[in-house]
Structures are given as structure tokens and as C-alpha cells.
Amino acid sequence: MVQAESESTLTRGDAAPDFQLVGTDGATYTLDSFADNDALLVVFTCNHCPYAKAKFDALNDIAADYENCAVVGINPNDADDYPDDSYGRMCELVDDGTVAYDAYLRDDDASVAEAYGAVCTPDPFLFRRDDDEWALTYHGRLDDALNPDDDPSGEPGFEIRQAIDAVLAGESVDLDDNPSRGCSIKWPDA
């Protein structure tokens, strides 16, 4: 397991790079698929990383608690070298309720992760709907529990919840973009 911390390639106000990815339900999703929401939380994640697994419940709760914020997991990891990150395993985790996001998408060639500048799992990006586009408002950790066995100093996901609350209230996000920590993305061979 190689540990990494997220780095901001996108800056606040930048438009979300578009994508066309297949979800665990077999449907194809784009950014427009989530246009009915006021906020969009894109989290690059996977099935096997202990850092990502430690945040499943927090992300599931956020997806359940926020009606106007879509929570979208995107798995970019190489499924050939890491079979636990396969599309089939993603579907199993959704079917058994381990993952309960609004959508869990497969980024087979990791081109979407590369476009966003994602480096680790989990790597969260929060966007606000602005003039029919998604604009980045926060790129950082979900909370201050940076290791899989750590407990956050507040409710799980409390930092991203503060950011979502600000977006939904039409306010700016005052949080610093503190990096997330997790396993490095397992880039597919070119």
C-alpha cells in the first residue's frame, strides 16, 4: 500500500471536467446526470483501500442526508492488477449496501481521475451548480481522521458537511483545502 495525499490541480472556481462513465446500475452518467442538484460531491475511491473503506459509512450518510447534493464515487484503479477493484466487485458492494452513494462509477482508463488531478483514494471534490456548470468550491479531506483507524474530532465527514452546507446556503466555503490521505491511485498501464 503506497500512501499519498491529494494535491489540487483544479482551483476553486474551475469547471468540473466532464465525463461519460458507466455506473453499477449499468447506466451511463455524465455531469448533466446530476444537474437537478445544487451541489455535487465527486469522490475518487475504490473497493480495496483501507483509507477508502474507512469512509464508506460517512459517504453513505452524506448521500442519505443531503437531498440536493449528489454523492458520486468514481473508481479509477487498475482492475487487472487489483481485481478487488473490478466493476463486478463494485456492483457487489452496492448490492449488499456497503456502498450507498447516488452513483458509483467505473473509470476504466483512469482518464477522469487524471483530468481532475486525483492522486489518492479517497480524493473528494465538491462542486456548486453555477450558470449550468459545476464550479469547484472545495477539494480536500472529508474530516480530520486521516488514517483508517482514527476517529474524527467531530461527526464523520464533518468538514465536507460544512462545505456542503455552505454551498447549499449559497455561501462561500471558508474551509482550507486540507489534503485527503489514502492509497495512491493504481493507474492502469498505458
Side-chain angles (χ1 to χ4, degrees), residues 104-168:
Y104 193 19
L105 313 178
R106 180 76 188 135
D107 183 11
D108 278 325
D109 63 2
S111 61
V112 176
E114 185 175 8
Y116 278 69
V119 297
C120 63
T121 56
D123 202 349
F125 296 76
L126 179 64
F127 298 90
R128 104 173 43 241
R129 192 81 175 151
D130 189 22
D131 294 329
D132 294 329
E133 288 191 353
W134 291 108
L136 183 68
T137 60
Y138 175 77
H139 173 215
R141 64 194 189 188
L142 298 173
D143 56 43
D144 59 0
L146 296 179
N147 296 307
D149 295 330
D150 290 352
D151 291 322
S153 62
E155 175 183 18
F158 74 91
E159 287 178 279
I160 199 70
R161 284 176 177 273
Q162 289 173 15
I164 293 168
D165 289 342
V167 168
L168 295 179

Coordinates of all heavy atoms in Angstrom, one line a residue, residues 104-168:
Y104 N -22.1 5.1 -8.3 CA -20.7 4.5 -8.2 C -20.3 4.2 -9.6 O -20.9 3.3 -10.2 CB -20.7 3.3 -7.2 CG -19.3 2.9 -6.7 CD1 -18.2 3.8 -6.8 CD2 -19.1 1.7 -6.2 CE1 -17.0 3.4 -6.4 CE2 -17.9 1.2 -5.8 CZ -16.8 2.1 -5.8 OH -15.6 1.7 -5.4
L105 N -19.3 4.9 -10.1 CA -18.9 4.8 -11.5 C -17.6 4.2 -11.7 O -16.7 4.4 -10.9 CB -19.0 6.2 -12.1 CG -20.2 7.1 -11.8 CD1 -20.1 8.5 -12.4 CD2 -21.5 6.4 -12.2
R106 N -17.4 3.6 -12.8 CA -16.1 3.0 -13.2 C -15.3 3.8 -14.2 O -15.9 4.1 -15.3 CB -16.4 1.5 -13.7 CG -15.1 0.8 -14.1 CD -14.4 0.3 -12.9 NE -13.1 -0.3 -13.3 CZ -12.0 -0.1 -12.7 NH1 -11.9 0.6 -11.6 NH2 -10.8 -0.6 -13.2
D107 N -14.1 4.2 -13.9 CA -13.2 5.0 -14.7 C -12.1 4.0 -15.2 O -11.0 4.0 -14.7 CB -12.6 6.1 -13.9 CG -11.7 7.1 -14.7 OD1 -11.7 7.0 -15.9 OD2 -11.1 7.9 -14.0
D108 N -12.4 3.2 -16.2 CA -11.6 2.1 -16.6 C -10.1 2.5 -17.0 O -9.2 1.8 -16.6 CB -12.2 1.3 -17.8 CG -13.2 0.3 -17.4 OD1 -13.0 -0.3 -16.3 OD2 -14.2 0.1 -18.1
D109 N -10.0 3.6 -17.7 CA -8.7 4.0 -18.1 C -8.1 5.1 -17.2 O -7.0 5.6 -17.5 CB -8.7 4.5 -19.6 CG -9.5 5.7 -19.9 OD1 -10.1 6.2 -18.9 OD2 -9.6 6.1 -21.1
A110 N -8.8 5.5 -16.2 CA -8.4 6.5 -15.2 C -8.2 7.9 -15.8 O -7.6 8.8 -15.2 CB -7.1 6.1 -14.5
S111 N -8.8 8.1 -17.0 CA -8.7 9.4 -17.7 C -9.4 10.5 -16.9 O -9.0 11.6 -16.9 CB -9.1 9.3 -19.1 OG -10.5 9.0 -19.2
V112 N -10.5 10.1 -16.3 CA -11.3 11.1 -15.5 C -10.5 11.5 -14.2 O -10.4 12.7 -13.9 CB -12.7 10.6 -15.2 CG1 -13.4 11.6 -14.3 CG2 -13.5 10.3 -16.5
A113 N -9.9 10.5 -13.6 CA -9.1 10.8 -12.4 C -7.9 11.7 -12.8 O -7.6 12.7 -12.1 CB -8.6 9.5 -11.8
E114 N -7.4 11.4 -13.9 CA -6.2 12.3 -14.4 C -6.7 13.7 -14.7 O -6.0 14.7 -14.3 CB -5.6 11.6 -15.6 CG -4.4 12.4 -16.1 CD -3.7 11.7 -17.3 OE1 -4.3 10.7 -17.8 OE2 -2.6 12.1 -17.6
A115 N -7.9 13.8 -15.3 CA -8.4 15.2 -15.6 C -8.7 16.0 -14.4 O -8.5 17.2 -14.4 CB -9.7 15.0 -16.5
Y116 N -9.1 15.3 -13.3 CA -9.4 16.0 -12.1 C -8.1 16.3 -11.2 O -8.1 17.0 -10.3 CB -10.4 15.2 -11.2 CG -11.8 15.4 -11.6 CD1 -12.3 15.0 -12.9 CD2 -12.7 16.1 -10.8 CE1 -13.6 15.1 -13.2 CE2 -14.0 16.3 -11.2 CZ -14.5 15.8 -12.4 OH -15.8 16.0 -12.8
G117 N -7.0 15.5 -11.6 CA -5.8 15.7 -10.8 C -5.9 14.8 -9.5 O -5.2 15.1 -8.5
A118 N -6.7 13.8 -9.5 CA -6.9 13.0 -8.3 C -5.6 12.1 -8.1 O -5.0 11.7 -9.1 CB -8.1 12.0 -8.4
V119 N -5.2 11.9 -6.9 CA -4.0 11.1 -6.7 C -4.2 10.0 -5.7 O -3.3 9.1 -5.6 CB -2.8 12.0 -6.2 CG1 -2.4 13.0 -7.2 CG2 -3.1 12.7 -4.9
C120 N -5.2 10.0 -4.9 CA -5.4 9.0 -3.8 C -6.8 8.6 -3.7 O -7.7 9.3 -4.2 CB -4.8 9.5 -2.5 SG -5.7 11.0 -1.8
T121 N -7.0 7.6 -2.9 CA -8.4 7.1 -2.6 C -8.6 7.1 -1.1 O -7.8 6.5 -0.4 CB -8.7 5.7 -3.2 OG1 -7.7 4.8 -2.7 CG2 -8.7 5.7 -4.7
P122 N -9.5 7.9 -0.6 CA -10.4 8.8 -1.2 C -9.9 10.2 -1.6 O -9.0 10.7 -0.8 CB -11.6 8.9 -0.2 CG -10.9 8.9 1.1 CD -9.7 7.9 0.9
D123 N -10.3 10.8 -2.6 CA -9.9 12.1 -3.0 C -11.2 12.9 -3.4 O -11.7 12.8 -4.5 CB -8.9 12.1 -4.2 CG -8.1 13.3 -4.3 OD1 -8.4 14.3 -3.6 OD2 -7.1 13.3 -5.0
P124 N -11.8 13.7 -2.5 CA -13.1 14.4 -2.7 C -12.9 15.8 -3.3 O -12.1 16.5 -3.0 CB -13.6 14.5 -1.3 CG -12.7 13.8 -0.4 CD -11.4 13.7 -1.1
F125 N -13.9 16.0 -4.3 CA -14.0 17.3 -4.9 C -15.5 17.7 -4.8 O -16.4 17.0 -5.2 CB -13.7 17.2 -6.4 CG -12.3 16.8 -6.7 CD1 -11.8 15.5 -6.6 CD2 -11.4 17.8 -7.2 CE1 -10.5 15.2 -6.9 CE2 -10.0 17.4 -7.5 CZ -9.6 16.1 -7.3
L126 N -15.7 18.9 -4.3 CA -17.1 19.4 -4.1 C -17.3 20.6 -5.1 O -16.5 21.5 -5.2 CB -17.3 19.9 -2.7 CG -18.7 20.5 -2.4 CD1 -19.8 19.4 -2.5 CD2 -18.8 21.1 -1.0
F127 N -18.4 20.5 -5.8 CA -18.8 21.5 -6.8 C -20.1 22.1 -6.5 O -21.0 21.4 -5.9 CB -18.9 20.8 -8.2 CG -17.5 20.3 -8.7 CD1 -17.2 18.9 -8.4 CD2 -16.6 21.0 -9.4 CE1 -16.0 18.4 -8.8 CE2 -15.4 20.5 -9.8 CZ -15.1 19.2 -9.5
R128 N -20.3 23.4 -6.9 CA -21.6 24.0 -6.9 C -22.1 24.3 -8.3 O -21.3 24.4 -9.2 CB -21.5 25.3 -6.1 CG -21.5 26.6 -6.8 CD -21.5 27.9 -6.0 NE -20.7 28.0 -4.9 CZ -21.2 28.2 -3.6 NH1 -22.4 28.3 -3.4 NH2 -20.3 28.2 -2.6
R129 N -23.4 24.2 -8.4 CA -24.0 24.5 -9.7 C -24.0 26.0 -10.0 O -24.6 26.7 -9.2 CB -25.4 23.9 -9.8 CG -26.0 23.8 -11.1 CD -25.6 22.6 -11.9 NE -26.2 22.5 -13.1 CZ -25.7 22.0 -14.2 NH1 -24.5 21.5 -14.2 NH2 -26.4 21.9 -15.3
D130 N -23.4 26.4 -11.0 CA -23.2 27.9 -11.3 C -23.4 28.1 -12.8 O -22.6 27.7 -13.6 CB -21.8 28.3 -10.8 CG -21.6 29.8 -10.8 OD1 -22.6 30.5 -10.8 OD2 -20.5 30.2 -10.9
D131 N -24.5 28.8 -13.1 CA -24.8 29.1 -14.6 C -24.7 27.8 -15.4 O -24.0 27.8 -16.4 CB -23.8 30.1 -15.1 CG -24.0 31.5 -14.4 OD1 -25.2 31.8 -14.1 OD2 -23.0 32.2 -14.3
D132 N -25.4 26.8 -15.0 CA -25.5 25.5 -15.7 C -24.1 24.8 -15.8 O -23.9 23.9 -16.7 CB -26.1 25.7 -17.1 CG -27.5 26.1 -17.0 OD1 -28.2 25.7 -16.1 OD2 -28.0 26.9 -17.9
E133 N -23.2 25.1 -15.0 CA -21.9 24.4 -14.9 C -21.6 24.1 -13.5 O -22.1 24.7 -12.6 CB -20.7 25.3 -15.5 CG -20.8 25.4 -17.0 CD -19.5 26.0 -17.6 OE1 -18.6 26.5 -16.8 OE2 -19.4 26.1 -18.8
W134 N -20.7 23.1 -13.3 CA -20.3 22.7 -12.0 C -18.9 23.4 -11.7 O -18.0 23.3 -12.5 CB -20.1 21.2 -11.8 CG -21.4 20.5 -11.9 CD1 -21.9 19.7 -12.9 CD2 -22.4 20.4 -10.9 NE1 -23.1 19.2 -12.6 CE2 -23.4 19.6 -11.3 CE3 -22.5 21.0 -9.6 CZ2 -24.6 19.4 -10.6 CZ3 -23.6 20.8 -8.8 CH2 -24.6 19.9 -9.3
A135 N -18.9 24.3 -10.7 CA -17.7 25.0 -10.3 C -17.1 24.5 -9.0 O -17.8 24.3 -8.0 CB -18.0 26.5 -10.2
L136 N -15.8 24.2 -9.0 CA -15.2 23.7 -7.8 C -15.2 24.7 -6.6 O -14.9 25.9 -6.8 CB -13.7 23.3 -8.0 CG -12.9 22.7 -6.9 CD1 -13.5 21.3 -6.6 CD2 -11.4 22.6 -7.2
T137 N -15.7 24.2 -5.5 CA -15.8 25.0 -4.3 C -14.9 24.5 -3.1 O -14.5 25.3 -2.2 CB -17.2 25.1 -3.7 OG1 -17.7 23.8 -3.4 CG2 -18.1 25.7 -4.7
Y138 N -14.5 23.2 -3.2 CA -13.6 22.6 -2.2 C -13.0 21.4 -2.7 O -13.7 20.5 -3.3 CB -14.5 22.3 -0.9 CG -13.8 21.6 0.2 CD1 -12.9 22.3 1.0 CD2 -14.0 20.3 0.4 CE1 -12.2 21.6 2.1 CE2 -13.3 19.6 1.4 CZ -12.4 20.3 2.3 OH -11.8 19.6 3.3
H139 N -11.7 21.2 -2.4 CA -11.0 19.9 -2.7 C -10.2 19.6 -1.5 O -9.2 20.3 -1.2 CB -10.1 20.1 -4.0 CG -9.3 18.9 -4.2 ND1 -8.0 19.0 -4.7 CD2 -9.5 17.6 -4.0 CE1 -7.5 17.8 -4.8 NE2 -8.4 16.9 -4.4
G140 N -10.7 18.6 -0.8 CA -9.9 18.3 0.5 C -10.6 17.1 1.2 O -11.5 16.5 0.7
R141 N -10.1 16.9 2.3 CA -10.5 15.7 3.1 C -11.9 15.8 3.6 O -12.5 16.9 3.6 CB -9.5 15.6 4.3 CG -9.7 16.7 5.3 CD -8.5 16.7 6.3 NE -8.8 17.7 7.4 CZ -7.9 18.1 8.3 NH1 -6.7 17.5 8.2 NH2 -8.2 18.9 9.2
L142 N -12.5 14.6 3.9 CA -13.8 14.6 4.5 C -13.9 15.1 5.9 O -14.8 15.7 6.4 CB -14.4 13.2 4.4 CG -14.5 12.6 3.0 CD1 -14.9 11.1 3.0 CD2 -15.5 13.4 2.2
D143 N -12.8 14.7 6.7 CA -12.7 15.1 8.1 C -11.3 14.9 8.5 O -10.4 14.6 7.7 CB -13.7 14.3 9.0 CG -13.5 12.8 8.8 OD1 -12.4 12.3 8.8 OD2 -14.5 12.0 8.8
D144 N -11.0 15.1 9.8 CA -9.6 15.1 10.2 C -9.1 13.7 10.7 O -8.0 13.6 11.2 CB -9.4 16.1 11.4 CG -10.3 15.9 12.6 OD1 -11.1 14.9 12.6 OD2 -10.2 16.7 13.5
A145 N -9.9 12.7 10.4 CA -9.4 11.3 10.7 C -8.7 10.8 9.4 O -9.3 10.3 8.5 CB -10.6 10.4 11.0
L146 N -7.4 11.0 9.4 CA -6.6 10.7 8.2 C -6.1 9.3 8.0 O -5.7 8.9 6.9 CB -5.4 11.7 8.1 CG -5.8 13.2 8.0 CD1 -4.6 14.0 8.0 CD2 -6.7 13.4 6.8
N147 N -6.2 8.5 9.1 CA -5.8 7.1 9.0 C -7.0 6.2 9.2 O -7.9 6.6 9.9 CB -4.7 6.8 10.0 CG -3.4 7.6 9.8 OD1 -2.9 7.6 8.7 ND2 -2.9 8.4 10.8
P148 N -7.0 5.0 8.6 CA -8.2 4.2 8.7 C -8.7 3.9 10.1 O -9.9 3.8 10.3 CB -7.8 2.9 8.0 CG -6.7 3.3 7.1 CD -5.9 4.4 7.8
D149 N -7.8 3.8 11.1 CA -8.3 3.5 12.5 C -8.5 4.8 13.3 O -8.9 4.6 14.5 CB -7.3 2.6 13.1 CG -7.2 1.3 12.5 OD1 -8.2 0.8 11.9 OD2 -6.1 0.7 12.5
D150 N -8.3 6.0 12.8 CA -8.6 7.2 13.5 C -10.0 7.5 13.6 O -10.8 7.2 12.7 CB -7.9 8.4 12.8 CG -6.4 8.3 12.9 OD1 -5.8 7.5 13.6 OD2 -5.7 9.2 12.2
D151 N -10.4 8.2 14.7 CA -11.8 8.7 14.8 C -11.7 10.2 14.6 O -10.8 10.9 15.1 CB -12.3 8.5 16.2 CG -12.6 7.0 16.5 OD1 -13.1 6.3 15.6 OD2 -12.4 6.5 17.6
P152 N -12.6 10.8 13.8 CA -12.6 12.2 13.6 C -12.9 13.0 14.9 O -13.6 12.4 15.8 CB -13.7 12.4 12.6 CG -14.6 11.3 12.7 CD -13.8 10.1 13.2
S153 N -12.5 14.2 15.0 CA -12.8 15.1 16.2 C -14.3 15.5 16.2 O -14.7 16.1 17.2 CB -11.9 16.3 16.2 OG -12.1 17.1 15.1
G154 N -15.0 15.3 15.2 CA -16.4 15.6 15.1 C -17.2 14.5 14.4 O -16.6 13.3 14.3
E155 N -18.4 14.7 14.0 CA -19.1 13.7 13.2 C -18.3 13.3 12.0 O -17.7 14.1 11.4 CB -20.4 14.4 12.8 CG -21.3 13.6 11.9 CD -22.6 14.3 11.4 OE1 -22.6 15.6 11.5 OE2 -23.5 13.7 11.0
P156 N -18.4 12.0 11.7 CA -17.7 11.5 10.5 C -18.1 12.3 9.2 O -19.3 12.6 9.0 CB -18.1 10.1 10.3 CG -18.4 9.6 11.7 CD -19.0 10.9 12.4
G157 N -17.1 12.8 8.5 CA -17.3 13.7 7.4 C -17.7 15.1 7.7 O -18.2 15.9 6.9
F158 N -17.4 15.6 8.9 CA -17.8 16.9 9.4 C -17.3 18.0 8.5 O -18.0 19.0 8.3 CB -17.6 17.1 10.9 CG -16.1 17.4 11.2 CD1 -15.6 18.7 11.3 CD2 -15.3 16.3 11.6 CE1 -14.3 18.9 11.6 CE2 -14.0 16.5 11.9 CZ -13.5 17.8 11.9
E159 N -16.1 17.9 8.0 CA -15.5 19.0 7.2 C -16.2 19.2 5.9 O -16.6 20.2 5.5 CB -14.0 18.9 7.1 CG -13.3 19.2 8.3 CD -11.8 19.0 8.2 OE1 -11.3 17.8 8.3 OE2 -11.1 20.0 8.0
I160 N -16.4 18.0 5.2 CA -17.1 18.1 3.9 C -18.6 18.5 4.1 O -19.2 19.2 3.3 CB -17.0 16.8 3.1 CG1 -17.3 17.0 1.6 CG2 -17.9 15.7 3.7 CD1 -16.3 17.8 0.9
R161 N -19.2 18.1 5.3 CA -20.5 18.5 5.6 C -20.6 20.1 5.7 O -21.6 20.7 5.3 CB -21.1 17.9 6.8 CG -21.5 16.4 6.6 CD -21.9 15.7 7.9 NE -22.3 14.4 7.8 CZ -23.6 14.0 7.5 NH1 -24.5 15.0 7.3 NH2 -23.9 12.8 7.3
Q162 N -19.6 20.7 6.4 CA -19.6 22.1 6.5 C -19.5 22.8 5.1 O -20.2 23.8 4.8 CB -18.4 22.6 7.3 CG -18.4 22.3 8.8 CD -17.1 22.6 9.5 OE1 -16.3 23.3 9.0 NE2 -17.0 22.0 10.7
A163 N -18.7 22.2 4.2 CA -18.6 22.7 2.9 C -19.9 22.6 2.1 O -20.3 23.5 1.4 CB -17.4 22.0 2.2
I164 N -20.5 21.4 2.2 CA -21.8 21.2 1.5 C -22.9 22.2 2.1 O -23.6 22.8 1.3 CB -22.3 19.7 1.7 CG1 -21.3 18.8 1.0 CG2 -23.7 19.6 1.2 CD1 -21.6 17.3 1.3
D165 N -22.9 22.3 3.4 CA -23.9 23.3 4.0 C -23.7 24.7 3.4 O -24.7 25.4 3.1 CB -23.7 23.3 5.5 CG -24.2 22.0 6.2 OD1 -25.0 21.2 5.6 OD2 -23.8 21.8 7.4
A166 N -22.4 25.1 3.3 CA -22.2 26.4 2.8 C -22.7 26.5 1.3 O -23.3 27.5 0.9 CB -20.7 26.7 2.9
V167 N -22.4 25.5 0.5 CA -22.8 25.5 -0.9 C -24.3 25.6 -1.0 O -24.9 26.4 -1.7 CB -22.2 24.3 -1.7 CG1 -22.9 24.2 -3.0 CG2 -20.7 24.4 -1.8
L168 N -25.0 24.8 -0.2 CA -26.4 24.7 -0.3 C -27.1 26.0 0.2 O -28.2 26.4 -0.1 CB -27.0 23.5 0.5 CG -26.6 22.2 -0.1 CD1 -27.2 21.0 0.7 CD2 -27.0 22.0 -1.6

